[in-house]
Amino acid sequence: MIEENKRSRGRPKTLNIEHILDVSMKAYWEEGIETISLNEICKRAHVSKPGIYREFKNDDGLIKAVLLHYQKQVLQQIHQIFRSNKPFEEVLNKYILILTIESPNLNGCLFLRSRDSNYPLGEESKKQIDLIQKEFVSSFTQWIEEAKQKNEFPQNISTELAVNYIDAQVSIAMTKIFNGTKVSDVKDMLTLAFSVFKK
């Protein structure tokens, strides 16, 4: 019996990975990766630092996993809008609406803030951000090209320029939301910025 108890105490606990990712994503999204320490994540998720290291190896591994979690939980829904085959202006308005949904907790876009932050991300996190960026470029490109084929998008604006313009405007908008600008004002800014695409 004593020997069995010793074995039980020495056995590593099974971590609830989904819970850790949910807690971490919420913390990073609300407050920024640069302000949340690994110790704080452990405290909020009620897990030990050795447990985090066992599963994710280090901070970089956890951030990469959170970005992948965010990609699956949040960003995939946005990509589906671009692939919906709806009229260009309808999709654009829906995209603006999603970007500017009022929420007391979620500030802007975790991906864009992580990408544009001065926080020194690790190599694995950077690779994940690059993959997410490539997916967005692909979705934007396909969406615009299809709109051009349906004569719903100005032919004199190159697709590459349009993709870069959308990326820049959304990045600015998300930064403003995170810094406290009223969401309704950001929505008006995006609507004005994207009006250049209307025929």
Side-chain angles (χ1 to χ4, degrees), residues 144-145 148 153-163 165 194-198:
I144 292 167
E145 286 294 323
K148 282 185 174 182
F153 189 92
Q155 300 292 334
N156 62 327
I157 300 177
S158 76
T159 300
E160 183 179 2
L161 175 61
V163 168
Y165 180 78
F194 291 152
S195 66
V196 299
F197 297 142
K198 294 183 178 180

Side-chain angles (χ1 to χ4, degrees), residues 67-88:
L67 287 168
L68 182 58
H69 191 60
Y70 181 77
Q71 184 179 12
K72 292 176 179 176
Q73 296 289 324
V74 179
L75 300 183
Q76 288 305 319
Q77 298 175 34
I78 296 175
H79 289 295
Q80 288 174 9
I81 295 169
F82 297 129
R83 297 166 187 151
S84 64
N85 204 31
K86 299 280 179 65
F88 178 83

